[in-house]
Each structure stands twice: as structure tokens, then as C-alpha cells.
């Protein structure tokens, strides 16, 4: 697989990474640990060098799985993890106090079976802790050799600028896809100006852009999509126009809808590295095929015109989750 640089940070990763959250958290029962380890190793065998996890995915469980899977190839991969919630539990609120950041780093190193974290994100901006203090704490961890690069997740333009002035931000992680384009307004221009890479999570719209869900779709216990307004029956029905658009584009190119969605993101900017997640080997292989999709400037212009005709319905998050987004 081709590689990309995350902005001007010097951090080189595979053009597509693997979001590991869903193996342990967010989409219902966790994947069997041995199966999860096999999937992560299969991704590496197929060229993936960028793996994303977080303390909050479990808490701690997903880091343990990632650590076990990648220990044999640690020097060949880039591991990103995150801090920022009370006890690693989002429902308990935000906590980016310097002492908590240092604690999370030490615990993550243990779970990941490594002596350094390649990319350490603040999971969500904490309004009770100045972002400069957060950046300064990570700077100290970098100087101590425990962390290599600093990242932010779901941060707004002002927070990005303030943090970057203290410790250069290597990458920002936020949701971005054909059906959630909010970062284009303010965030992407700031990232380009400052030389910061962009790591879109949910690049397939939490599975929606694959065409798997119609208006009658239901979600099992523990699947957070059951709380997402965009996955209500009414929104799913209204948003089928986008699914049909992506399906038509995929048929024209002889690829799958997921591959079109990922190819579109990769064509947006050379410093964008999506991290689709999956629990299934055949979906992993399908997603990785998205890195080979070539979309010309004419293709992108036609897609833009088509997307402009679709009015996506439903909020991205329930209010309880949206309150954590720094925009």
C-alpha cells in the first residue's frame, strides 16, 4: 500500500489506517479476542501500518488487544491512542488534567506493550483545562520519550491554533465522509495552513455509505448507532438518495460503494488518511481496495455536483455526545 505523510509532522503512515474501536466497543458485543488479534495482524500483512485505539474503548480493553496483535511487528507500525475522559469512560465526563494525561500515557504503554506512543490524541477538548496546558503536558511526554507526536480529536479551529503554538499538532481526527462534511468549512483550511494531517474516522458513515442499511434497519443492544439521529427510520429513508448516488458511482467505476467513499476522501487532500474499521476479514480487504481507486479531477467535480443535490437529514450525534465536540 502507498504511504502518506500526516501534514508536515514527518509521521509517515499507510494511506489507509485501521480504526480498531469496533473490535471492542461501540457496536455491540466485543469481537472474540483471538479473532480481533488475527484481524489486526491481517491488516498489517496487507500493508496497513497505522492503527487507532483509545483508553475509552473498553476502557483499556481495545489497547490490550492492539498491543497483543502488534507486539511482534511493533517497529513496523504507528500506533495512535487517546486520553481525555474520567476513568476512560465517556459517560463520566472529560478529564484532561496534566496529572491524568501522564497517568493515561503510562497505563497505555503497559497495555500496548511498548515503550512509546507514536501519536497521542486528546480525545475531546476539555473546557476546564486550558488547551495550552494539555499541549504542554504532551510536550513534556515527548521530551521524555514516551510519546512521539501530539494529536487532537474533534477540536475546533481556535483550539487547534492554541495547541499548535505550544506543541506542533501532527494530526487532527474528526468524522468526515460524503455524508458528514462539516470539517470543510473551518477545520480543513486551518490544517492545511499549519501543516497538520487529517485522520477521518467513520469514513463510511458508520456503515451507511456501504448501502447495508435501509429504512427498516435495526441495531442491537450496545450498538451506539441506535442513539444517532441519522440512523432513525425517518432519516435512513430520507438519506437513501445518497446511498443510491454512491452505488451508481461505484458501478460506473467497477468498485464497491465503500471503495468509492474511501477513494473520494483520499482524493480530497494528500494529507488525509482515513481509518475505516471492521470486524470482518472480507470487509477489511474490500476497504483496503479503496486505496487503489483513482478519481480524476473531472470525477471529483461530477461527484461534487451530485452531492450538492442530496440534502442529508438527521443530526450526527445525540445531544449528550454532541456536547463534547469543540465546534
Amino acid at each position: 500500500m502507498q504511504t502518506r505523510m500526516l501534514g508536515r509532522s514527518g509521521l509517515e503512515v499507510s494511506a489507509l489506517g485501521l480504526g480498531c474501536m469496533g473490535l471492542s466497543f461501540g457496536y455491540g458485543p466485543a469481537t472474540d479476542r483471538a479473532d480481533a488479534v488475527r484481524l489486526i495482524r491481517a491488516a498489517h500483512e496487507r500493508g496497513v501500518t497505522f492503527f487507532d485505539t483509545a483508553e475509552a474503548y473498553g476502557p483499556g480493553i481495545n489497547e490490550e488487544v492492539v498491543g497483543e496483535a502488534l507486539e511482534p511487528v511493533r517497529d513496523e507500525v504507528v500506533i495512535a491512542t487517546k486520553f481525555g475522559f474520567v476513568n476512560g469512560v465517556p459517560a463520566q465526563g472529560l478529564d484532561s488534567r496534566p496529572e491524568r494525561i501522564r497517568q493515561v500515557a503510562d497505563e497505555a504503554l503497559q497495555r500496548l506493550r511498548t515503550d512509546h506512543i507514536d501519536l497521542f490524541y486528546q480525545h475531546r477538548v476539555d473546557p476546564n483545562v486550558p488547551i495550552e496546558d494539555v499541549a504542554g503536558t504532551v510536550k513534556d511526554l515527548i521530551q521524555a520519550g514516551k510519546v512521539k507526536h501530539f494529536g487532537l480529536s474533534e477540536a475546533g479551529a481556535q483550539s487547534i491554533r492554541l495547541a499548535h503554538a505550544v506543541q506542533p499538532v501532527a494530526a487532527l481526527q474528526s468524522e468526515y465522509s460524503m455524508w458528514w462534511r462539516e470539517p470543510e468549512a473551518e477545520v480543513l483550511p486551518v490544517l492545511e495552513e499549519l501543516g497538520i494531517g487529517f485522520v477521518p474516522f467513520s469514513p463510511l458513515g458508520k456503515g451507511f455509505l456501504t448501502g447495508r442499511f435501509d429504512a427498516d434497519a435495526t441495531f442491537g443492544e450496545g450498538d451506539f448507532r441506535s442513539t444517532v439521529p441519522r440512523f432513525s427510520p425517518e432519516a435512513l429513508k430520507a438519506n437513501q438518495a445518497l446511498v443510491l448516488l454512491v452505488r451508481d458511482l461505484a458501478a460506473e467505476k467497477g468498485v464497491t460503494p465503500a471503495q468509492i467513499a474511501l477513494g473520494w476522501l483520499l482524493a480530497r487532500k494528500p494529507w488525509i488518511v482515513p481509518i475505516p474499521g471492521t470486524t470482518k476479514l472480507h470487509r477489511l480487504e474490500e476497504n483496503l481496495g479503496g486505496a487503489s481507486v483513482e478519481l480524476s479531477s473531472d470525477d471529483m467535480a461530477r461527484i461534487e455536483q451530485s452531492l450538492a443535490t442530496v440534502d442529508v437529514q438527521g443530526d450526527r450525534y445525540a445531544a449528550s455526545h454532541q456536547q463534547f465536540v469543540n465546534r
Side-chain angles (χ1 to χ4, degrees):
M1 185 185 296
Q2 293 183 345
T3 61
R4 293 189 161 200
M5 301 295 293
L6 285 174
R8 296 192 290 268
S9 66
L11 186 56
E12 185 176 9
V13 297
S14 51
L16 289 173
L18 180 66
C20 298
M21 180 191 81
L23 294 168
S24 311
F25 179 85
Y27 291 102
T31 302
D32 176 81
R33 185 172 180 133
D35 290 340
V37 167
R38 276 193 289 271
L39 185 88
I40 293 169
R41 289 180 176 171
H44 173 258
E45 291 165 1
R46 288 157 176 76
V48 175
T49 64
F50 187 32
F51 297 85
D52 183 90
T53 182
E55 179 200 29
Y57 306 156
I61 295 170
N62 196 248
E63 288 179 326
E64 292 176 355
V65 172
V66 170
E68 178 180 345
L70 297 178
E71 186 177 23
V73 293
R74 180 64 186 95
D75 294 339
E76 302 172 16
V77 298
V78 170
I79 299 176
T81 192
K82 311 176 194 74
F83 62 87
F85 290 111
V86 175
N87 300 316
V89 180
Q92 294 183 17
L94 299 168
D95 186 356
S96 281
R97 292 171 299 141
E99 59 268 31
R100 176 62 183 158
I101 296 172
R102 290 190 288 268
Q103 177 189 352
V104 174
D106 287 340
E107 292 174 353
L109 291 171
Q110 293 287 326
R111 289 190 287 261
L112 292 169
R113 306 186 186 187
T114 185
D115 63 356
H116 69 277
I117 298 165
D118 296 295
L119 179 56
F120 202 31
Y121 291 104
Q122 183 186 34
H123 210 149
R124 295 291 186 271
V125 173
D126 186 342
N128 297 314
V129 181
I131 194 72
E132 297 91 338
D133 292 351
V134 173
T137 303
V138 177
K139 182 175 184 176
D140 291 343
L141 290 169
I142 291 172
Q143 291 173 344
K146 295 181 178 183
V147 171
K148 298 297 184 183
H149 298 275
F150 176 38
L152 296 172
S153 180
E154 294 281 37
Q158 182 180 10
S159 294
I160 296 167
R161 290 186 183 279
L162 291 172
H164 191 72
V166 176
Q167 169 60 44
V169 177
L172 175 82
Q173 183 176 121
S174 283
E175 183 171 352
Y176 183 41
S177 69
M178 285 182 172
W179 88 326
W180 181 255
R181 300 181 62 181
E182 180 255 13
E184 294 175 358
E186 295 184 0
V187 170
L188 290 185
V190 170
L191 301 184
E192 187 154 36
E193 173 194 341
L194 299 178
I196 298 171
F198 187 49
V199 179
F201 66 78
S202 297
L204 302 179
K206 301 178 176 68
F208 178 77
L209 294 175
T210 67
R212 290 167 48 206
F213 305 118
D214 59 21
D216 298 320
T218 58
F219 303 96
E221 184 177 353
D223 189 325
F224 80 100
R225 285 174 294 197
S226 63
T227 71
V228 174
R230 285 198 171 189
F231 282 92
S232 69
E234 298 79 15
L236 284 171
K237 181 178 180 179
N239 293 330
Q240 287 303 306
L242 180 56
V243 171
L244 295 176
L245 167 62
V246 176
R247 187 178 295 163
D248 289 346
L249 290 168
E252 182 181 320
K253 288 288 183 181
V255 298
T256 69
Q259 290 168 342
I260 278 288
L262 293 169
W264 178 82
L265 278 171
L266 290 167
R268 298 294 289 172
K269 297 290 181 181
W271 36 267
I272 289 179
V273 179
I275 50 167
T278 185
T279 61
K280 300 177 177 63
L281 179 60
H282 72 279
R283 291 296 185 196
L284 170 68
E285 292 177 335
E286 177 187 354
N287 291 345
L288 297 184
S292 301
V293 173
E294 295 185 5
L295 297 174
S296 67
S297 57
D298 288 343
D299 289 333
M300 293 296 284
R302 287 196 302 113
I303 292 171
E304 190 68 26
Q305 291 174 348
S306 298
L307 289 176
T309 68
V310 178
D311 183 19
V312 177
Q313 302 293 309
D315 291 336
R316 174 170 70 123
Y317 283 142
S320 58
H321 287 80
Q322 184 62 34
Q323 65 176 330
F324 291 141
V325 178
N326 183 231
R327 292 197 293 277

